[in-house]
Amino acid sequence: MAPIIVFGPLLASAFAGLLGNHVGHRTAQIVTTATVLLSFVLSVIVFFDVTYGGNAQTIHLATWMSVGAFDVSWAIKLDSLSAVMLVVVTSVSSLVHIYSWGYMEHDPHRARFFSYLSLFTFAMLSLVTADNFLQLFFGWEGVGLASYLLIGFWYKKKSANDAAIKAFVTNRVGDFGFALGIMALFLVFGSVTFDDVFAAIPEHTDAVLAFAGMEFNAIELIAFLLFIGAMGKSAQFFLHVWLPDAMEGPTPVSALIHAATMVTAGVFLVCRAFPIFENAEAASAFVTVIGATTALFAATVGMAQNDIKRVVAYSTCSQLGYMFFAAGLGLYGAAMFHLFTHAFFKALLFLGSGAVIHGVHDEQDMRKMGGLYKMMPMTWMMMLIGTVALTGVGFSFGVLGLLPWDLGFAGFFSKDAIIEGAFMAGREGVFFGIPAFWFGVVAALLTSFYSWRLIFMTFHGKFRGPKEVYEHAHDPKFAMAMPLVVLAIGAIFAGGIFKKDFIGENAGHFWHDAVPAASHGPAVAGDHGEAAAYGDDHAEADTHAADDAHSPADDDHGAEAAYASSDDHAEAREGDHGGGHHPPTWVLLSPFFATLFGFGLAIWFYLINEGMGARIAARGGPLHSFLYNKWYVDEIYHFVFVRGAKGLGDLFWKIGDVKLIDGLGPNGVAGTTLAAARRLAKGQSGFLYHYAFVMLIGVLGFSVWILVSQGGL
């Protein structure tokens, strides 16, 4: 079953790519879509078998490399973490394949497009089922290749080619760090297999590696290098610049790559390697800082963008920041929970944006839209659901004692869990926990503002584009509409249904030992540098939420801590008002009021005072320019790296090559020799008496020399 899940899309990709022009585009679409759907169905079976049945296993397929002590097998690792990712990847990929039937129906290269989609799916599946770092790196590079092909699919479009190259080059920067991390792993542990490495961590906590002329703690250095790879793939601050430009690819590509698959690979890597990060306090702090900064940075930039897909892209960047700072604080379950719910509502928003673009004749500028809810009611409703889920609309009724449970959309349960967990981690002593909490709250406010700004500019007010475009605007056909409905259902219910499993009282039985079940990570455990328990010697962790390594059972913090249920909130309210093990009431309510405030601001700017945003943009003040130009990061990179590389090239060319090498070579010694030869050549007149005269002069000179040397003169 597992090999079919992973390798089925690869075979379908090869069939569509190699035989698509012979068997026809429709056949290629049917084969690739049916194969990915089969992978999804089997992934669901595996998910329930592994997470609820406890039947985790590793299937060894073949020996991949065996050179001396370096022995790597190709295997399929099925545990709770990979099972969750299998469902996420195959479900989104299946819906994107179906959606593409309608979106790409007029493209003359559909077979190639579907081949690339399936190739991407295979690469991502091989990544999430890897049982060693090298196999994971294979999938890592595979999704990078497939993303390059998909972003630049319309290769005759210069902007698409530039975006594909930018994504590829930027990811190579991060991948270089990842590759160094894998090398360091083998150097320290003598293996790159997950189980071997994680089990040996307690023996190497004091190991030291020399790097760049300095000595570092080996675990810290390895964690840092692995995260550099995650930064590139998941578009974190400094290496985020490729993500918005990747919108040049077809919209289904944006949903597949940027919603739930490639960009979440970095989060998956950090969660998979949690025993390393649990023992790397400085690296985990770095993860927290970068994640929190990215969450806030991308949210600020999203407020000033006008391309509908770029707004959603920066939203993705921001939400990935939430996942990373959660993982950095040890909230691995919460990070994976947000990854899971985010897949539904972000894919919904991307595909919904594609439906808008498709319905208004490929227009992407929101300044040329407006009032479309009348012409596209179904798309408006789907985008509305995605926006409500993204902004985390919901309320903890248990806090006020109104209801025995909380009510909200998917993003409410997962994002609020991260924000609350950050506060609790900070209060328990994890540095950057409280700053991450405030960054998360402010980012939630800004997320609400720019998300509702997108809805109001696109679907409400007056239409600002050509009249004929508005008159022909339409909702998508069934092939594009059906995936939107399915994703909308997930965006509404996924959070409430799976909360107890991912971060609640069932977390220990759900995750087993794939990630820690403790609600607030190492901060609660007390020692951020304590060796993480992992491997066969810790089978008890499967049924006790990894208590020995990650959950302080001795002081009332098992798998039921923190946000396990609304009863906990009620206890916090009636007891110590947020003291002890529960966030204060104001912490629980802060994301709700931040979201509400952002919603109110959007109404004020784009409904009550319609056109205010356009007037602010027209004035072009320093703040708007700063946000519109994305903090000038691209300009800084262009100045430092592009112009710097050009300047360095000019230095080597004009100074090193032309003046030094050519100056000393062709234009120096060789040039002088050539000039002397040309002067001597002028003495070759061709007349015999000239040569006889020269010979006589030579004989005379020779005679004078002999006489002088013999003392005759």
Side-chain angles (χ1 to χ4, degrees):
M1 185 182 297
I4 296 175
I5 295 174
V6 176
F7 293 102
L10 175 63
L11 297 176
S13 173
F15 175 83
L18 298 176
L19 303 176
N21 291 333
H22 301 286
V23 300
H25 296 294
R26 180 57 61 90
T27 303
Q29 291 175 217
I30 292 173
V31 170
T32 52
T33 305
T35 304
V36 175
L37 281 170
L38 175 61
S39 292
F40 167 65
V41 173
L42 297 179
S43 295
V44 172
I45 296 173
V46 168
F47 172 80
F48 283 99
D49 183 52
V50 171
T51 56
Y52 299 106
N55 296 319
Q57 59 180 308
T58 299
I59 304 171
H60 292 273
L61 301 179
T63 298
W64 187 14
M65 299 182 188
S66 183
V67 182
F70 186 70
D71 187 27
V72 180
S73 296
W74 188 282
I76 298 177
K77 185 179 182 66
L78 297 177
D79 63 356
S80 298
L81 189 61
S82 60
V84 168
M85 292 301 296
L86 283 177
V87 171
V88 169
V89 172
T90 56
S91 61
V92 173
S93 180
S94 298
L95 294 172
V96 167
H97 273 75
I98 296 171
Y99 181 91
S100 299
W101 280 58
Y103 195 88
M104 304 293 290
E105 62 180 339
H106 299 300
D107 195 284
H109 306 290
R110 296 190 301 281
R112 179 164 59 89
F113 180 78
F114 278 83
S115 174
Y116 291 167
L117 287 182
S118 292
L119 176 63
F120 181 93
T121 305
F122 158 72
M124 193 66 197
L125 292 174
S126 65
L127 187 158
V128 301
T129 58
D131 90 319
N132 61 78
F133 285 97
L134 193 63
Q135 184 181 334
L136 191 151
F137 189 69
F138 169 84
W140 194 273
E141 294 302 298
V143 293
L145 168 64
S147 68
Y148 169 80
L149 297 173
L150 287 167
I151 294 169
F153 178 75
W154 289 322
Y155 58 88
K156 294 184 179 180
K157 186 179 177 184
K158 183 179 184 302
S159 58
N161 280 327
D162 292 343
I165 293 172
K166 187 175 184 180
F168 197 79
V169 171
T170 306
N171 274 273
R172 296 292 72 72
V173 176
D175 294 351
F176 180 68
F178 190 11
L180 289 177
I182 296 174
M183 296 174 195
L185 277 166
F186 183 73
L187 179 63
V188 173
F189 298 101
S191 175
V192 293
T193 302
F194 296 146
D195 291 342
D196 295 341
V197 170
F198 299 157
I201 286 177
E203 304 169 9
H204 295 83
T205 52
D206 297 324
V208 174
L209 280 178
F211 183 76
M214 298 176 285
E215 289 188 343
F216 298 91
N217 177 275
I219 305 298
E220 292 280 7
L221 181 61
I222 289 169
F224 175 78
L225 291 172
L226 293 180
F227 180 63
I228 294 299
M231 284 178 63
K233 198 66 70 183
S234 295
Q236 293 300 281
F237 192 58
F238 295 124
L239 295 180
H240 68 279
V241 292
W242 67 270
L243 186 66
D245 290 352
M247 298 301 104
E248 292 294 335
T251 298
V253 173
S254 303
L256 182 63
I257 294 177
H258 309 125
T261 50
M262 180 174 131
V263 293
T264 60
V267 180
F268 170 80
L269 171 62
V270 174
C271 291
R272 172 62 79 195
F274 81 86
I276 295 176
F277 286 90
E278 289 284 273
N279 290 275
E281 185 174 0
S284 294
F286 182 67
V287 174
T288 303
V289 171
I290 292 295
T293 302
T294 304
L296 185 60
F297 155 76
T300 61
V301 174
M303 296 191 302
Q305 303 306 303
N306 298 312
D307 186 305
I308 187 171
K309 287 173 63 177
R310 285 179 180 265
V311 174
V312 182
Y314 276 107
S315 171
T316 299
C317 194
S318 180
Q319 298 305 305
L320 289 166
Y322 276 98
M323 300 175 207
F324 272 110
F325 81 68
L329 295 171
L331 308 170
Y332 303 102
M336 288 302 300
F337 188 32
H338 197 48
L339 184 156
F340 179 75
T341 60
H342 176 265
F344 292 102
F345 57 73
K346 189 51 60 68
L348 175 60
L349 287 171
F350 268 119
L351 296 183
S353 299
V356 172
I357 296 168
H358 191 267
V360 293
H361 301 285
D362 298 326
E363 180 59 66
Q364 296 184 202
D365 193 335
M366 296 187 299
R367 293 171 296 184
K368 299 178 181 179
M369 301 179 188
L372 290 175
Y373 79 95
K374 298 177 181 178
M375 307 301 292
M376 309 176 69
M378 184 268 182
T379 304
W380 169 70
M381 181 59 66
M382 296 298 102
M383 290 290 286
L384 199 62
I385 292 173
T387 297
V388 172
L390 168 63
T391 55
V393 173
F395 194 77
S396 299
F397 288 97
V399 174
L400 302 179
L402 300 176
L403 293 171
W405 31 261
D406 299 337
L407 184 64
F409 285 68
F412 161 71
F413 293 98
S414 57
K415 186 164 68 176
D416 282 26
I418 291 175
I419 293 174
E420 295 165 18
F423 178 86
M424 291 299 292
R427 193 173 67 174
E428 295 291 340
V430 175
F431 199 56
F432 297 122
I434 299 301
F437 162 76
W438 285 112
F439 272 51
V441 171
V442 175
L445 187 156
L446 301 180
T447 299
S448 179
F449 175 80
Y450 71 68
S451 297
W452 288 109
R453 171 180 178 264
L454 183 152
I455 292 294
F456 297 150
M457 288 184 68
T458 303
F459 295 101
H460 297 271
K462 298 178 180 178
F463 187 76
R464 297 174 294 277
K467 183 179 179 181
E468 59 273 15
V469 172
Y470 179 77
E471 292 175 346
H472 291 89
H474 58 277
D475 271 326
K477 297 179 181 179
F478 176 79
M480 294 173 62
M482 188 272 284
L484 297 180
V485 175
V486 174
L487 290 169
I489 294 172
I492 296 172
F493 298 109
I497 292 174
F498 289 99
K499 175 186 174 183
K500 290 184 178 181
D501 294 326
F502 278 83
I503 59 173
E505 59 262 35
N506 298 335
H509 297 288
F510 180 84
W511 289 116
H512 303 286
D513 62 350
V515 296
S519 298
H520 304 307
V524 174
D527 184 1
H528 202 20
E530 184 179 346
Y534 194 91
D536 296 336
D537 293 343
H538 301 278
E540 255 184 49
D542 286 358
T543 55
H544 294 289
D547 290 335
D548 292 338
H550 307 287
S551 182
D554 293 337
D555 66 344
D556 279 340
H557 276 286
E560 299 172 347
Y563 24 80
S565 70
S566 57
D567 292 339
D568 292 336
H569 299 326
E571 183 183 339
R573 184 188 72 259
E574 296 169 2
D576 54 10
H577 300 286
H581 310 321
H582 309 284
T585 301
W586 69 267
V587 172
L588 298 172
L589 295 178
S590 58
F592 170 77
F593 285 108
T595 299
L596 187 64
F597 185 66
F599 176 62
L601 281 179
I603 291 177
W604 175 261
F605 274 85
Y606 295 99
L607 290 185
I608 297 176
N609 296 287
E610 186 177 354
M612 178 182 288
R615 292 191 294 272
I616 293 174
R619 286 199 296 269
L623 179 59
H624 179 271
S625 297
F626 181 70
L627 299 181
Y628 180 76
N629 290 288
K630 302 158 288 189
W631 291 23
Y632 294 102
V633 174
D634 282 283
E635 287 76 7
I636 293 172
Y637 282 4
H638 186 271
F639 177 79
V640 174
F641 297 112
V642 178
R643 293 185 60 183
K646 184 178 183 298
L648 185 64
D650 286 344
L651 175 66
F652 284 126
W653 169 38
K654 296 179 180 179
I655 304 298
D657 192 16
V658 175
K659 291 189 176 181
L660 293 179
I661 297 175
D662 289 349
L664 295 176
N667 300 327
V669 175
T672 303
T673 303
L674 178 62
R678 286 174 176 171
R679 291 188 179 93
L680 290 174
K682 293 180 179 179
Q684 303 297 319
S685 64
F687 295 108
L688 183 60
Y689 61 87
H690 284 170
Y691 299 146
F693 179 73
V694 171
M695 291 173 66
L696 289 174
I697 294 296
V699 171
L700 178 62
F702 182 69
S703 300
V704 171
W705 176 76
I706 291 176
L707 291 173
V708 171
S709 62
Q710 296 297 324
L713 292 178

